[in-house]
Amino acid sequence: MSDTHDDAASVGRLIQDTADRLLREQCSKELVDASEAGEWPEALWRTLVETGLPWAAAPERLGGAGLRLTDALALLRLVGLHAVPVPLAETLVGAALLGQDAAVDTLPQGPLAIALPGTSDSFEARYGSDGWVLEGSIAHVPFAPVAVQLLVAVAAEDSLALLRVDPAACAMDAGRSIAGEPMADVRFDALQVEPAAATSLSGWQNLEQLVALMALTRALMSSGAMQSLLDLSVGYALERKQFGRPIAQFQAVQQQLAVLAGEAAAAIRAADGAVEAFEVALYEASQDPARMAAAVREAGVAKARSGEAAGRGAEIAHQVHGAMGFTYEHRLHHRTRRLWAWRDQYGSERFWQTRLGRELCSAGADALWDELTRPL
Amino acid sequence: MAQALTFDPVRLPHEAEALRAEVRAFVADTLPDDLLRSSDFGSGHDPEFSRALGSRGWIGMTWPQQYGGGGRSFFERYVVTEELLAAGAPVEAHWIADRQSGPVLLRYGTEEQRAFFLPRIVRGECFFSIGMSEPDSGSDLASVRTSAQRVQGGWVVNGTKLWTSGAHRNHYMITLIRTEPQGDNRHAGLSQFIIDLKGSEGLTVRPIANMAGDEDFNEVVFEDCFVPDEHLLGSAGNGWEQVTSELGYERSGPERFLSSFRLLVELVRAVGDAPEPEQAAAIGRLAGHLVTLRKMSISVAGMLQSNHNPVVEAALVKELGNNFEKELPEVIRLIAPERSGRLFRRTLEDTLLHAPSFSLRGGTREILRGMIARGLGLR
């Protein structure tokens, strides 16, 4: 690691601390409620824009802070910690990826959405002399209804391109996730995308790698939400009195909160591990397919582990909070509902577990330990 | 943010990774083909194997060179221990001496004690047990009643230690004994002694068969057993502090989540390269848990390397790790192919028969969760 990168990392921590304070103040219960009721939190977004957070990983020539994407990803933990109701992950990642393209001279000035076609989508992207033609639909695209631009990932031979698409040019069947956040099934009707609106992603070979990166954003956001569940539940247990004493004094409650702490710690550590793996793949050994494959695997582990932690953690947090945590008035559900939404985005636990299991079986029993311990 | 969650991302340094291939080659050359591999650190007492490890410098790796230690990092020790466990090597004989007794001797022992014991441990010639539990003192360790009376030149010990692993085979035992009557502060008046298990008069060691049919743990009875002053460890009355200082070492290592690992290996073998979706998902899930636990454990190794004593973090690793190693056979038995072969069945049965002990030894699940709760500020 170079000194310059250490400097950048400490800039990253500074931004992180500032962002933490800012988001804690801004993301009040009322603000998150209002955004769930359909109101776009313009004031919050404008504050984020002023601090430059959405473009933290975009190059300086485009007005970004020029952080490594992997340093900026740590900011996403705050999205879970404070239930931030805007597409920070999508905009941060989207702007960083677009910024790789020297031909891009301005970034879209607003929230982005990223559409990754899945195997169950009937979607087709054809490349011809006039650029790309998109046909079919991509389901459940987070934040598509509020994005100023849609980034559609399309795979070409051994490479990957991001197409910048005007949301108005697509048909959207808009809805909300279980967390009340906007999403849409996006339909393309022979939509023409000119070559100038396509960014070829160097260092990325296939769509699955991008799915893994987005899965990692969800793992990071979930690990922040897990931290929040723990903080809220410990606080509540110390405050709430029954039988003449705080319920924190009951062993049954203590034991459950210890389990929650373990799940939170595992979610956090797994997500950090995947960030490290992407750091190696993207910055220390870029263009090495083996490193990228390791990063995809680590992201899958983080996504699956945080998804499992989410289920157990939400269960315990709600049990500790009692009926109070089941009210709309309490802010716990802004976290638990996000955890339930995120665990199903970009591959559920089952998806990533099956993928890893197949890989390990094809490597075989005698290679298992080596597979699990190979350094990044 | 809650204090309990400090698991800094730590990567094993190159010099540690460089050891990995060496350990793998050694194990491949040394272990007989017909050995039933077990990743349980308490399974497989083989003094010859321990001596071979000692001659390679793989015992006492982090200790100062003046006592024969390797002067190496906790990360290097981490790699050696996890490689041995994953391979199912017989590490039981030297395990406690290497992990726990040596570090305690280093920290609290006299110069004479260090100079005598540590080089012998390092060579794989001197094995230790831990004498903590008693018939009426399990989780409530401070209630121990084994007592020592001061006499000319030493102490006379009376009482009984129970569940003492390896006491029938090992050379010494570091034990917690009451040296003053219990007063208001129940943590006061306790002391640690080094007991010579081979040459003490008035000491009876009786093995107790466990449910797996092994003779591993013991009852150790003291009847007017004389222990010389030179075998007091640390200061008289300081035993509680000394005992609790061991916990970071004791609870965070790979032996707290790898105990069932060989069963996962045998499952992958039995399933072959075309798993059913359910089998692939279960294998991927268990592997993901293992990968995550390993990262957490390496984070704690990093804290030990920086001279921290991460008691709560270590408890979290053990709590999650024990749950994992106990869940593993329960998951695997239901997804294994029906005709999985003798080796698979034997490994499954061996794992199931030892699993109840995983969340008992080294601090029960309930005690660990209580410690985590304390770390969270709940008590």
Side-chain angles (χ1 to χ4, degrees):
Chain A
M1 232 184 272
S2 68
D3 287 348
T4 13
H5 174 238
D6 283 347
D7 291 348
S10 75
V11 171
R13 273 191 295 278
L14 191 70
I15 296 180
Q16 172 97 9
D17 291 345
T18 313
D20 186 24
R21 245 192 336 272
L22 188 90
L23 291 171
R24 193 180 298 273
E25 283 163 21
Q26 292 262 324
C27 293
S28 62
K29 177 71 173 47
E30 295 69 31
L31 181 133
V32 183
D33 285 350
S35 83
E36 232 169 71
E39 196 179 303
W40 168 249
E42 182 60 28
L44 168 67
W45 182 257
R46 226 173 313 130
T47 320
L48 289 175
V49 168
E50 279 160 23
T51 57
L53 288 180
W55 298 289
E60 291 173 18
R61 69 178 177 88
L62 296 175
L67 293 185
R68 282 183 175 183
L69 176 58
T70 42
D71 288 330
L73 284 175
L75 289 166
L76 297 180
R77 190 156 285 153
L78 301 172
V79 173
L81 196 60
H82 304 301
V84 179
V86 294
L88 190 57
E90 285 75 4
T91 312
L92 189 86
V93 169
L97 295 177
L98 291 179
Q100 287 186 1
D101 185 351
V104 171
D105 51 11
T106 51
L107 290 173
Q109 292 303 299
L112 301 177
I114 296 180
L116 304 180
T119 44
S120 53
D121 290 317
S122 59
F123 173 83
E124 204 188 359
R126 287 187 308 273
Y127 188 69
S129 51
D130 301 330
W132 292 85
V133 178
L134 307 184
E135 183 73 60
S137 62
I138 302 176
H140 309 309
V141 179
F143 292 105
V146 298
V148 299
Q149 203 162 72
L150 200 59
L151 305 181
V152 182
V154 292
E157 216 171 300
D158 282 340
S159 71
L160 203 58
L162 271 189
L163 309 183
R164 302 192 292 283
V165 169
D166 179 0
C170 327
M172 291 221 194
D173 182 3
R176 289 188 175 271
S177 73
I178 187 173
E181 294 192 317
M183 55 162 221
D185 296 345
V186 182
R187 209 179 66 244
F188 309 91
D189 193 6
L191 180 68
Q192 192 84 33
V193 182
E194 53 175 348
T199 287
S200 165
L201 298 178
S202 82
W204 299 77
Q205 291 88 34
N206 58 52
L207 196 55
E208 191 184 40
Q209 295 166 349
L210 212 48
V211 176
L213 178 65
M214 292 312 292
L216 174 55
T217 68
R218 270 31 185 189
L220 284 159
M221 288 149 70
S222 298
S223 72
M226 289 296 294
Q227 174 77 59
S228 184
L229 293 198
L230 182 62
D231 294 344
L232 290 173
S233 302
V234 167
Y236 185 77
L238 289 166
E239 212 170 80
R240 169 75 173 167
K241 287 201 175 89
Q242 285 293 280
F243 304 101
R245 49 186 170 141
I247 60 169
Q249 288 181 15
F250 293 97
Q251 286 196 357
V253 175
Q254 292 174 0
Q255 300 262 315
Q256 287 302 300
L257 290 174
V259 174
L260 172 56
E263 293 299 310
I268 291 169
R269 188 63 189 88
D272 283 341
V275 172
E276 282 181 284
F278 264 108
E279 178 164 343
V280 172
L282 294 177
Y283 300 101
E284 289 175 26
S286 48
Q287 315 296 329
D288 178 352
R291 299 287 169 65
M292 190 51 121
V296 170
R297 180 187 283 187
E298 293 284 341
V301 165
K303 182 64 167 63
R305 188 65 188 84
S306 68
E308 205 175 322
R312 280 192 208 145
E315 204 280 328
I316 293 171
H318 275 295
Q319 189 66 18
V320 168
H321 277 82
M324 185 56 75
F326 190 58
T327 63
Y328 195 82
E329 193 189 337
H330 200 282
R331 59 192 167 142
L332 178 64
H333 67 88
H334 284 324
R335 276 83 179 159
T336 52
R337 287 162 58 221
R338 275 175 173 72
L339 283 167
W340 292 327
W342 293 335
R343 68 180 176 176
D344 284 333
Q345 293 173 358
Y346 304 110
S348 68
E349 296 93 287
R350 177 54 66 111
F351 172 83
W352 290 108
Q353 287 161 355
T354 307
R355 185 186 176 285
L356 175 57
R358 283 191 207 288
E359 273 185 5
L360 295 174
C361 287
S362 91
D366 293 324
L368 178 65
W369 178 246
D370 184 57
E371 286 284 321
L372 299 179
T373 53
R374 209 174 296 143
L376 293 174
Chain B
M1 282 199 198
Q3 287 299 308
L5 303 183
T6 316
F7 288 91
D8 290 337
V10 171
R11 254 190 263 171
L12 292 171
H14 293 298
E15 68 273 15
E17 290 291 0
L19 264 173
R20 198 178 290 287
E22 219 181 301
V23 183
R24 276 185 200 171
F26 167 78
V27 167
D29 290 348
T30 313
L31 294 188
D33 290 339
D34 60 350
L35 178 75
L36 180 67
R37 307 291 184 96
S38 166
S39 295
D40 182 344
F41 71 91
S43 156
H45 177 96
D46 184 345
E48 198 186 322
F49 184 77
S50 294
R51 277 195 298 276
L53 287 181
S55 71
R56 303 231 149 201
W58 292 340
I59 301 178
M61 289 179 68
T62 64
W63 308 347
Q65 282 163 342
Q66 66 182 112
Y67 303 114
R72 303 174 93 155
S73 73
F74 278 91
F75 298 118
E76 289 168 287
R77 177 176 187 274
Y78 186 91
V79 167
V80 171
T81 53
E82 75 169 355
E83 284 296 327
L84 293 172
L85 291 172
V91 295
E92 184 183 359
H94 67 278
W95 192 263
I96 298 299
D98 175 60
R99 178 187 74 192
Q100 210 158 337
S101 315
V104 171
L105 283 161
L106 256 180
R107 181 151 180 199
Y108 296 106
T110 62
E111 193 48 46
E112 290 72 22
Q113 288 169 344
R114 295 181 198 181
F116 180 82
F117 291 109
L118 296 178
R120 288 173 168 76
I121 294 176
V122 165
R123 289 196 299 268
E125 291 169 0
C126 179
F127 308 136
F128 273 72
S129 291
I130 305 170
M132 291 200 191
S133 295
E134 295 185 1
D136 296 318
S137 303
S139 292
D140 182 11
L141 184 59
S143 70
V144 294
R145 288 195 308 221
T146 298
S147 65
Q149 299 281 321
R150 237 196 180 306
V151 294
Q152 181 76 32
W155 306 74
V156 169
V157 180
N158 279 287
T160 302
K161 290 287 169 187
L162 200 58
W163 321 131
T164 315
S165 289
H168 57 318
R169 291 190 283 232
N170 295 341
H171 306 95
Y172 294 94
M173 163 170 89
I174 294 182
T175 188
L176 186 69
I177 292 177
R178 186 155 280 293
T179 43
E180 288 163 43
Q182 191 180 315
D184 289 343
N185 177 3
R186 54 205 304 272
H187 295 156
L190 295 165
S191 306
Q192 280 188 303
F193 288 91
I194 305 161
I195 306 295
D196 182 346
L197 290 169
K198 298 292 184 204
S200 296
E201 299 245 351
L203 187 80
T204 314
V205 177
R206 204 169 52 82
I208 302 165
N210 67 25
M211 62 176 270
D214 318 322
E215 285 190 348
D216 169 52
F217 52 27
N218 297 270
E219 180 188 55
V220 181
V221 180
F222 297 87
E223 288 163 303
D224 290 332
C225 175
F226 177 76
V227 180
D229 275 329
E230 308 89 84
H231 280 186
L232 172 68
L233 177 59
S235 5
N238 196 38
W240 186 257
E241 189 199 307
Q242 293 172 203
V243 160
T244 48
S245 78
E246 299 170 26
L247 301 178
Y249 299 101
E250 188 186 337
R251 290 180 171 158
S252 67
E255 75 269 30
R256 298 308 183 186
F257 56 88
L258 281 179
S259 303
S260 308
F261 177 69
R262 291 308 303 184
L263 181 56
L264 188 58
V265 174
E266 293 313 322
L267 174 71
V268 171
R269 200 185 312 284
V271 162
D273 59 5
E276 300 292 328
E278 188 194 14
Q279 294 168 328
I283 290 167
R285 174 173 170 270
L286 294 169
H289 276 252
L290 197 158
V291 164
T292 305
L293 281 160
R294 187 169 169 266
K295 288 189 167 79
M296 297 176 80
S297 181
I298 292 170
S299 292
V300 177
M303 289 184 247
L304 292 172
Q305 182 64 28
S306 329
N307 286 317
H308 295 288
N309 185 20
V311 172
V312 180
E313 286 81 0
L316 273 166
V317 172
K318 184 173 183 304
E319 143 79 3
L320 286 170
N322 291 163
N323 292 344
F324 168 73
E325 49 188 23
K326 290 187 78 166
E327 186 192 9
L328 207 135
E330 297 297 322
V331 171
I332 285 179
R333 58 175 274 272
L334 294 175
I335 56 156
E338 238 169 87
R339 294 186 213 294
S340 295
R342 186 71 62 85
L343 179 59
F344 175 84
R345 301 295 325 168
R346 282 182 67 201
T347 309
L348 173 63
E349 285 164 12
D350 185 61
T351 308
L352 275 174
L353 287 171
H354 289 90
S357 71
F358 298 164
S359 53
L360 299 172
R361 61 186 182 188
T364 65
R365 171 191 295 152
E366 289 68 26
I367 288 295
L368 290 168
R369 288 184 181 172
M371 294 179 61
I372 296 163
R374 183 172 291 122
L376 292 171
L378 294 166
R379 43 189 294 221

